[in-house]
Amino acid sequence: MNLTLRIWRQSGPDSAGRMTEYDVRDISPEMSFLEMLDTLNEELILRGEEPVAFDHDCREGICGACGMVINGEAHGPERTTTCQLHMRHFDDGDTIDIEPWRASAFPVVKDLVVDRTAFDRIIGSGGYITAPTGSAPEAHATPVPKPAADTAFEHAECIGCGACVAACPNGSAMLFTSAKVVHLNSLPQGAPERESRVLDMVGQMDDEGFGGCTNTGECATACPKGIPLFSITKMNREFVRAARKA
Amino acid sequence: MAYRVHTVVPMAVDTRTDRRPSSYAGILWHSTVGKKTAMAVSGIVMLLYLVAHMLGNLKIFFGAAEFDGYAHWLRTIGEPFLHHEWFLWIARVVLLAAVVVHAVAAYQLSRRDIAARPQKYVHKKPRASYATRTMRWGGIILGLFIVWHILDLTTLTVNPRAEAGHPYANVVATFSTWYGNVIYIVAMLALGLHIRHGFWSAAQTLGANRPGRDRTLKAIANLLALVLTLGFIAVPVSVMTGVVS
Ligand code: HEM
Ligand code: FES
């Protein structure tokens, strides 16, 4: 299939960017979206032009690196990561708009690459448990009730790709932060830091300049891992509880 | 937009305790989550008041004597424990506090939300429901309406009849003007949309929603929005059509 791509090109953090049009030919429907971009980049390199910069790593939907907004939707039309999005979801002759995540807390580094270290700092402020490292603990030493394990697993699926922030009209990181808070606060291992975790992670999230939640729900719709909107509800509950106890 | 380089990600050593406000109210007001909680609580206070207010307004259908009598009774609630009109003034203070908290939080959060997404996407896609998108504009309309409404029927400053102690006549006078009807009906439609999203949103914010309750909460939100809007609009429509005169 032949496609027209309109891609955000921006040479550096402080330079102005703009949408630039490219034609790509003979794209196979079996290709992933990133392979389609590889094809474009090979051609650009042959022509002596600057290839399009985009983030990627695992290409199997688990690292969360490959974020971009495709036709106005984070990771494109399917509920998956861009690396797992296949070209069969597009038609021959389509024009596809490709833009970077837009949020003031995620400044553009180059083209489609944004700086997502704000997420790392949110994790650093409380997204961990305090446990001695070394030899693995005995698995049955700390019993975990089945419902708690299920909740923790559901939320542990978050890969920190940032699609929630990109999709939110307020550039809010509530879904990401709540996935981490609910994951750890559901488990007995996370109990010692239950209050400080939610207070500190929400505090760091605010300090990074993410917007607040207006319960629009765009985040949960865009999430490739299906983190539910109720995750935010739960974090709100945890936050008010922790504030009362503090 | 400068590229911020952070080579070291501080882990457990970096506790934020030192930067945290120490009081319950302080923690809430200084975070986006807590400020939203204040909005939800103040919103629900106003919502409860509006349900009572709407039901009271419907007394207009029983005639001037009963409506004016009801208005007089409102001033005597709590007597003899409370002095004349004290209950009314307590309610006014609580409502004023709710409006101020709600509006200040809405303003501060909205500014922050807009700043967090300075650049729009080139490729637009249809977003969110109508009620969700109109919260900010709807809120501003409601704020302006509250001011007009008090000047019209409480202080009687802008009321065409302005007879203190005769609310029935004053209400009929307001809704005998075209602008009185337009302002009121537009505001009540805005109110319906605001409550439609607001009630469910408050349940989210307060952590009261659960997967099993979501549909019920949305249904209650729609019902409240519909009943309040229709209940309030019934009065101007009845004056316009001559049912109340
Ligand atoms: C001064 C006028 C008002 C302004 C400026 C205002 C503005 C807002 C804004 C901007 C929001 C947040 C919208 C969002 O999160 O998407 C909101 C939420 C809300 N409003 Fe208002 N509003 C006003 C009056 C009212 C009134 C009269 C009620 C009474 C029914 C009300 C009830 C609510 C509720 C229940 C929420 C949901 C809070 C939450 O999301 O947790 N508001 N308002
Ligand atoms: S490249 Fe790892 S999730 Fe897409």
Side-chain angles (χ1 to χ4, degrees), chain A residues 97 99 102 166 206 212 215 237, chain B residues 112 117 122-123 201 207 210:
Chain A
D97 289 332
E99 300 170 73
R102 293 287 185 205
D206 287 349
N215 295 312
R237 200 152 65 226
Chain B
R112 191 192 164 89
R117 166 59 69 70
V122 173
H123 190 111
S201 185
R210 307 269 190 285

Side-chain angles (χ1 to χ4, degrees), chain A residues 1-178:
Chain A
M1 51 210 267
N2 300 328
L3 301 163
T4 305
L5 306 176
R6 299 200 307 157
I7 304 178
W8 182 262
R9 300 303 309 263
Q10 179 175 338
S11 56
D14 297 317
S15 29
R18 63 191 182 89
M19 298 298 276
T20 308
E21 206 169 290
Y22 300 96
D23 287 320
V24 284
R25 329 221 125 255
D26 302 324
I27 296 300
S28 143
E30 273 77 49
M31 278 182 180
S32 74
F33 202 85
L34 297 188
E35 286 168 331
M36 184 276 292
L37 288 178
D38 292 338
T39 312
L40 169 70
N41 277 345
E42 278 167 15
E43 212 183 295
L44 290 179
I45 291 165
L46 285 178
R47 290 210 305 247
E49 290 177 37
E50 186 74 11
V52 177
F54 61 89
D55 256 335
H56 63 104
D57 187 16
C58 69
R59 295 208 176 199
E60 53 185 31
I62 53 168
C63 76
C66 58
M68 56 188 78
V69 169
I70 303 165
N71 284 342
E73 290 185 272
H75 295 298
E78 295 293 302
R79 199 182 200 183
T80 183
T81 54
T82 305
C83 59
Q84 294 296 298
L85 174 67
H86 289 91
M87 295 313 294
R88 57 174 170 270
H89 298 294
F90 298 89
D91 294 318
D92 186 36
D94 275 0
T95 299
I96 306 174
D97 289 332
I98 312 171
E99 300 170 73
W101 284 172
R102 293 287 185 205
S104 53
F106 284 169
V108 173
V109 176
K110 188 178 181 184
D111 297 339
L112 303 173
V113 178
V114 299
D115 175 9
R116 287 176 302 158
T117 47
F119 269 11
D120 299 337
R121 290 187 293 275
I122 295 178
I123 295 286
S125 70
Y128 51 81
I129 61 161
T130 306
T133 51
S135 59
E138 210 283 309
H140 293 295
T142 314
V144 180
K146 177 77 164 81
D150 288 347
T151 306
F153 255 121
E154 187 182 15
H155 290 84
E157 280 198 57
C158 169
I159 53 176
C161 66
C164 43
V165 175
C168 175
N170 311 323
S172 172
M174 286 285 277
L175 195 68
F176 167 78
T177 309
S178 66

